[in-house]
């Protein structure tokens, strides 16, 4: 039904930051918030002697404390909680199926810019078609800022002229319109492999390719510029790695939006190179949007 935002909570600082971000997003969207904690039974051996009833009580406490904190911050927000018994990634993916957005926490890498993306988060991102946002804990945000959604910082979106990116662009433009913030569209391109074997490459050809790619990127953005005329959009088309540029652009951004192709691999979850780079190194929350 896509009428609520879901956040995964487990009592960790990063999950509390994710819940706060999700609450802010739910307020912006004017929809309820659902908090989910999956009780994985049997429990991991790192919790010896912990029985099912103790695990349930602990999960209920985590959910109730998180909900109480969020109600104090957003008294008008409707909050519900769920505590399914299942593997966390499977439970979160199932809970995301009828949500507009799933928000998860992810640890920062010490004082460095970037995320430490756990197996649960990675598996969940790959297992659901619902957009997923990964949020760092407040005390590991590079600028010490609050991670609540709704800040006026720009949204950065990765554009790929070779992919069907309608869902990615629609998500990014809608978020920018909802927040009243600018949007920066980024597209990186590389010379065709055949040109690496040309001993004397004419620079004019490179400029022609660059102009052609720029036109294609602008044509791709045009329908959304027209659909969301209130969004101030700038675009950057350059030769180089889109992942590296998106990581650079993430500094000071309110959100980075990247796409991932829907793929089911027998070897497990799979993300494209750009999404992988941004998830692990961005300085801002990252939204991953599945597309065909």
């Amino acid at each position: 039904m896509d009428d609520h935002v879901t956040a995964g909570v487990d009592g960790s600082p990063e999950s509390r930051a994710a819940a706060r971000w999700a609450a802010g997003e739910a307020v912006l969207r004017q929809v309820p918030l659902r908090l989910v904690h999956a009780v994985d039974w049997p429990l991991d051996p790192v919790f010896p002697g912990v029985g099912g009833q103790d695990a349930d009580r602990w999960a209920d406490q985590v959910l109730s404390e998180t909900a109480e904190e969020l109600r104090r911050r957003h008294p008008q927000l409707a909050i519900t909680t769920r505590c399914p018994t299942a593997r966390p990634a499977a439970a979160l993916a199932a809970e995301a199926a009828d949500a507009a957005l799933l928000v998860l926490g992810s640890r920062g890498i010490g004082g460095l810019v970037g995320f430490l993306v756990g197996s649960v988060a990675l598996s969940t991102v790959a297992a659901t078609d619902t957009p997923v946002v990964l949020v760092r804990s407040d005390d590991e945000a590079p600028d010490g800022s609050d991670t609540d959604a709704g800040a006026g910082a720009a949204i950065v979106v990765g554009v790929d002229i070779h992919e069907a990116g309608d869902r990615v662009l629609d998500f990014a433009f809608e978020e920018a319109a909802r927040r009243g913030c600018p949007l920066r569209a980024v597209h990186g391109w590389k010379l065709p492999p055949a040109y690496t074997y040309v001993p004397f490459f004419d620079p004019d050809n490179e400029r022609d390719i660059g102009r052609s790619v720029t036109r294609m990127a602008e044509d791709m953005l045009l329908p959304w510029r027209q659909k969301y005329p209130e969004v101030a959009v700038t675009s950057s088309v350059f030769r180089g790695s889109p992942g590296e540029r998106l990581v650079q652009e993430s500094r000071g951004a309110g959100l980075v939006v990247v796409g991932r192709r829907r793929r089911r691999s027998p070897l497990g979850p799979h993300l494209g190179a750009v999404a992988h780079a941004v998830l692990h190194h961005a300085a801002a929350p990252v939204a991953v949007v599945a597309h065909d």
Side-chain angles (χ1 to χ4, degrees), residues 20 68-76 138 146 148:
R20 286 191 285 271
E68 288 174 10
E69 176 194 345
L70 298 179
R71 289 188 180 106
R72 288 194 297 269
R73 296 166 71 98
H74 305 285
Q76 77 281 25
D138 295 341
D146 196 327
D148 272 3

Side-chain angles (χ1 to χ4, degrees), residues 109 111-115 136 140-145 152-157 182 184 186 241-257 277-278 280-286:
I109 308 176
L112 302 176
V113 171
F115 290 92
R136 291 171 63 171
E140 289 176 325
D143 57 1
S145 61
I155 290 175
V156 177
V157 59
R184 299 200 299 268
V186 175
S241 167
E244 291 180 6
R245 178 60 67 90
L246 285 167
V247 170
Q248 294 172 7
E249 294 280 349
S250 73
R251 294 173 174 84
L255 181 68
V256 179
V257 182
V278 175
H280 286 81
H281 300 291
V286 178

